[in-house]
Amino acid sequence: MGVTRSFFIALSKNQALNSGAKRWGLKLGAGKVVAGTDIKSMMQSVKELNANGISATIDNLGEFVQTKEEATQAKEAILKTLEAIQVHGVNAHMSIKLTQIGLDVDPDFCLENIQEIVSAAANYDIFINLDMEDYDHLQQTLDILNVLLKEYDNVGTVIQAYLYRAEKDLENLKNVRLRLVKGAYKESPEVSLQEKKEIDENYLKLIKLHLQAPGYTSIATHDHHIIEQVKAFVKEENIPLHSFEFQMLYGFRTEMQKDLAKEGFAFTTYVPFGQDWYAYYMRRLAERPQNINLALKSLVSK
């Protein structure tokens, strides 16, 4: 499956295919894991989640941003989504990729954009999560986060357990709300663990460390083995339920999401939406190649 994973990650970076995907719409099975292409359809999905006791972290999808104009458009779309969260009164916050608002164009310009977003979110009492991207953007993301933390407390980021530096980064952010993940990008053996067993072990270690730290912990995984170990750990250590949550992606393990919420655990679903769904979907196929059949069936049935 290594070749398949690399293949779909490569596809996710193809800008020409991304442009074509906008014409295809959600015909490749992406409609199963993307909550529509506009705010109206996304909000309906979020309200359905809320009705089941589940919160949402909303990702207004957008990649391949190469100009300040594109970054400004993305920022305005994010601000409109924040306003919609406020107007509809839903239980939700937002997840944002800094490359979407200009990190690769001009880091200072990107900082201005995210400051405007975090400030608006603070006025609405909405949390902003800085999604972590590939290793090349890691330090820039942390640098911007640290600037934001000097003024705001409604912002956090993601720690990827497959990176060697993850534990040190987590220690530096022990007071911050963090989403902990295994890691979705294909990184070099020079900077990341490669074996599933080692990644799982480090992931569980980081979860336990942050659960005992002051910062809120979002445990983002579909791995039921990890989830069961976390449940046992929080019971043994008397970790208060209000200090952490489980997270999963929209459209995956839906019944387990509902079951965890019914058990009394805080639960948040990662809800992506928008026209630029292509790269996100390719990465999901890379992570879960069993979804390839779903995509092919959806295509030939149209």
Side-chain angles (χ1 to χ4, degrees):
M1 283 299 185
V3 175
T4 305
R5 175 181 167 84
S6 300
F7 174 69
F8 279 99
I9 288 176
L11 287 180
S12 76
K13 298 177 180 179
N14 188 305
Q15 189 170 354
L17 289 176
N18 179 66
S19 299
K22 292 180 184 179
R23 295 194 298 272
W24 304 328
L26 299 177
K27 295 178 180 178
L28 292 175
K32 304 283 187 183
V33 298
V34 175
T37 57
D38 56 25
I39 287 178
K40 182 179 179 181
S41 55
M42 176 273 293
M43 270 299 160
Q44 184 57 42
S45 298
V46 171
K47 289 176 181 178
E48 290 170 5
L49 290 168
N50 285 178
N52 285 296
I54 296 172
S55 179
T57 182
I58 299 168
D59 179 1
N60 193 339
L61 294 169
E63 303 192 39
F64 307 109
V65 171
Q66 297 176 328
T67 67
K68 286 188 175 182
E69 289 75 18
E70 289 172 334
T72 299
Q73 289 173 5
K75 179 195 69 175
E76 294 300 329
I78 290 166
L79 290 172
K80 285 181 181 178
T81 305
L82 283 172
E83 184 179 0
I85 293 172
Q86 174 73 5
V87 169
H88 287 267
V90 292
N91 183 1
H93 65 270
M94 288 200 70
S95 291
I96 297 168
K97 287 181 173 59
L98 291 179
T99 55
Q100 185 183 6
I101 54 171
L103 184 60
D104 289 338
V105 179
D106 180 344
D108 291 334
F109 174 70
C110 175
L111 176 59
E112 292 173 7
N113 284 337
I114 193 61
Q115 285 173 322
E116 184 177 347
I117 290 166
V118 173
S119 177
N123 290 334
Y124 295 141
D125 195 25
I126 295 174
F127 176 72
I128 297 294
N129 189 85
L130 304 185
D131 272 354
M132 193 56 73
E133 303 180 64
D134 60 14
Y135 191 79
D136 290 342
H137 295 97
L138 171 59
Q139 191 58 52
Q140 286 179 299
T141 301
L142 293 180
D143 290 344
I144 287 176
L145 173 66
N146 285 319
V147 173
L148 294 169
L149 288 171
K150 292 175 182 177
E151 188 173 356
Y152 303 100
D153 61 5
N154 65 318
V155 62
T157 192
V158 180
I159 298 292
Q160 298 166 309
Y162 63 0
L163 297 179
Y164 296 131
R165 60 177 286 178
E167 185 173 348
K168 181 179 179 182
D169 288 337
L170 184 137
E171 172 62 25
N172 291 336
L173 297 169
K174 62 184 178 184
N175 296 313
V176 177
R177 177 172 176 169
L178 297 175
R179 177 193 298 149
L180 306 184
V181 302
K182 293 184 184 182
Y185 295 86
K186 186 172 178 59
E187 300 291 1
S188 162
E190 295 176 2
V191 300
S192 71
L193 299 165
Q194 302 292 308
E195 299 299 322
K196 182 182 184 303
K197 184 174 183 292
E198 292 180 330
I199 295 170
D200 286 356
E201 288 174 353
N202 200 46
Y203 184 46
L204 195 58
K205 177 183 180 182
L206 297 180
I207 290 170
K208 291 178 178 179
L209 284 172
H210 204 58
L211 281 171
Q212 296 176 95
Y216 189 81
T217 308
S218 296
I219 302 158
T221 182
H222 302 108
D223 187 334
H224 60 277
H225 298 295
I226 295 285
I227 291 170
E228 289 305 315
Q229 290 179 77
V230 171
K231 287 162 72 171
F233 179 77
V234 298
K235 186 175 182 180
E236 290 168 10
E237 300 296 323
N238 293 314
I239 305 292
L241 295 183
H242 62 75
S243 68
F244 73 96
E245 67 181 5
F246 290 109
Q247 288 191 6
M248 291 185 191
L249 299 172
Y250 180 80
F252 293 87
R253 311 205 78 160
T254 304
E255 291 308 311
M256 182 182 286
Q257 295 191 25
K258 293 177 183 177
D259 289 344
L260 285 165
K262 287 177 184 175
E263 287 177 45
F265 294 103
F267 198 96
T268 293
T269 298
Y270 189 97
V271 179
F273 83 102
Q275 296 286 344
D276 288 328
W277 53 266
Y278 167 79
Y280 172 85
Y281 185 47
M282 289 301 107
R283 286 197 297 274
R284 298 294 78 80
L285 290 179
E287 289 171 355
R288 298 172 62 86
Q290 58 266 45
N291 289 325
I292 296 168
N293 287 336
L294 172 65
L296 292 175
K297 287 178 182 176
S298 298
L299 180 61
V300 299
S301 67
K302 297 297 180 184

